[in-house]
Amino acid sequence: KQEVTQIPAALSVPEGENLVLNCSFTDSAIYNLQWFRQDPGKGLTSLLLIQSSQREQTSGRLNASLDKSSGRSTLYIAASQPGDSATYLCAVSKQGANSKLTFGKGITLSVRP
Amino acid sequence: GAVVSQHPSWVICKSGTSVKIECRSLDFQATTMFWYRQFPKQSLMLMATSNEGSKATYEQGVEKDKFLINHASLTLSTLTVTSAHPEDSSFYICSAPGMGLAGTGTDTQYFGPGTRLTVL
């Protein structure tokens, strides 16, 4: 059974700091990995999707990497801003677009002005 | 871009009543939709996979007679919580895969804004 772990559960950093959020998964036989953002009481916004054959994806100040063999992914946020404060979840898919996602519990990020 | 909507966004009901939640893909068709539940400070847990034209597939431990799912069309799936009780209070979120259809990202899952259910 796939398990996704995100540690720590919460993180507080000063504005402007570069930071890395970690995600690990137990079964390396994944199809893709996605990073999502969730604001309090809201749904999920997809940030980045990495296919199993890829090593990284970039969007603006965000960069996500994937090391499938070791079961790890990182989300790098450059020059953090207070607006980045949210919960960040990673999720893995085993069989493609029509398959379910297994989520980690998320990391709640607070960026202090 | 692809958009998934949910209705209602929040609902408060008395114990014993049934509540229907709708999930719609607004600008693309989805033969499959997923229903997740999220308790406070917990992650999303898949409840069931909704399949257009066939029965839903439920995850282990989810009561199919309590959580009725109907995938009425290629753009609509409904989740009905029957005889709701306070322990059913949660945040319910649906998603639909874009599958590279027009205006959607390949393999990207698009999530609805969620429905907050409170059972008194």
Side-chain angles (χ1 to χ4, degrees):
Chain A
K1 178 185 175 185
Q2 178 73 274
E3 292 184 3
V4 179
T5 303
Q6 293 183 255
I7 296 173
L11 186 63
S12 179
V13 300
E15 182 177 4
E17 189 163 301
N18 302 324
L19 59 102
V20 173
L21 306 181
N22 294 305
C23 171
S24 62
F25 46 95
T26 55
D27 185 351
S28 62
I30 64 169
Y31 184 81
N32 61 40
L33 181 146
Q34 254 180 294
W35 281 92
F36 294 90
R37 168 183 173 140
Q38 185 177 30
D39 293 290
K42 304 294 184 181
L44 275 66
T45 301
S46 179
L47 298 174
L48 290 165
L49 181 148
I50 310 177
Q51 300 290 358
S52 62
S53 58
Q54 298 175 323
R55 296 301 299 267
E56 66 178 332
Q57 284 288 329
T58 298
S59 176
R61 295 182 294 108
L62 305 179
N63 175 277
S65 67
L66 174 64
D67 184 342
K68 200 174 75 162
S69 61
S70 67
R72 295 178 186 274
S73 176
T74 62
L75 178 66
Y76 174 82
I77 302 177
S80 59
Q81 302 170 358
D84 294 330
S85 299
T87 296
Y88 292 82
L89 298 108
C90 73
V92 296
S93 167
K94 187 174 179 66
Q95 295 176 327
N98 264 351
S99 71
K100 66 180 182 181
L101 295 177
T102 301
F103 283 86
K105 290 187 176 182
I107 297 174
T108 299
L109 172 66
S110 174
V111 180
R112 308 186 300 271
Chain B
V3 176
V4 174
S5 70
Q6 280 185 243
H7 177 80
S9 56
W10 60 269
V11 57
I12 301 173
C13 69
K14 292 182 179 180
S15 184
T17 61
S18 294
V19 175
K20 180 185 285 188
I21 303 171
E22 294 185 347
C23 177
R24 293 181 185 272
S25 55
L26 296 185
D27 49 3
F28 66 103
Q29 295 180 335
T31 56
T32 300
M33 291 184 177
F34 300 96
W35 285 97
Y36 294 85
R37 180 168 54 184
Q38 185 180 35
F39 291 107
K41 298 193 182 298
Q42 297 295 315
S43 188
L44 279 75
M45 296 298 294
L46 181 69
M47 299 176 65
T49 303
S50 175
N51 304 299
E52 192 272 335
S54 63
K55 293 182 179 180
T57 305
Y58 290 82
E59 295 299 299
Q60 190 173 7
V62 178
E63 300 175 58
K64 62 180 181 181
D65 293 332
K66 180 170 183 63
F67 299 99
L68 302 179
I69 291 173
N70 181 23
H71 202 128
S73 72
L74 288 171
T75 59
L76 172 64
S77 174
T78 60
L79 167 68
T80 301
V81 183
T82 62
S83 187
H85 288 93
E87 57 265 30
D88 298 323
S89 298
S90 187
F91 193 53
Y92 293 85
I93 307 178
C94 68
S95 73
M99 298 183 65
L101 300 172
T104 70
T106 303
D107 293 337
T108 299
Q109 292 262 356
Y110 295 92
F111 283 79
T115 298
R116 173 75 59 192
L117 170 63
T118 302
V119 185
L120 303 176

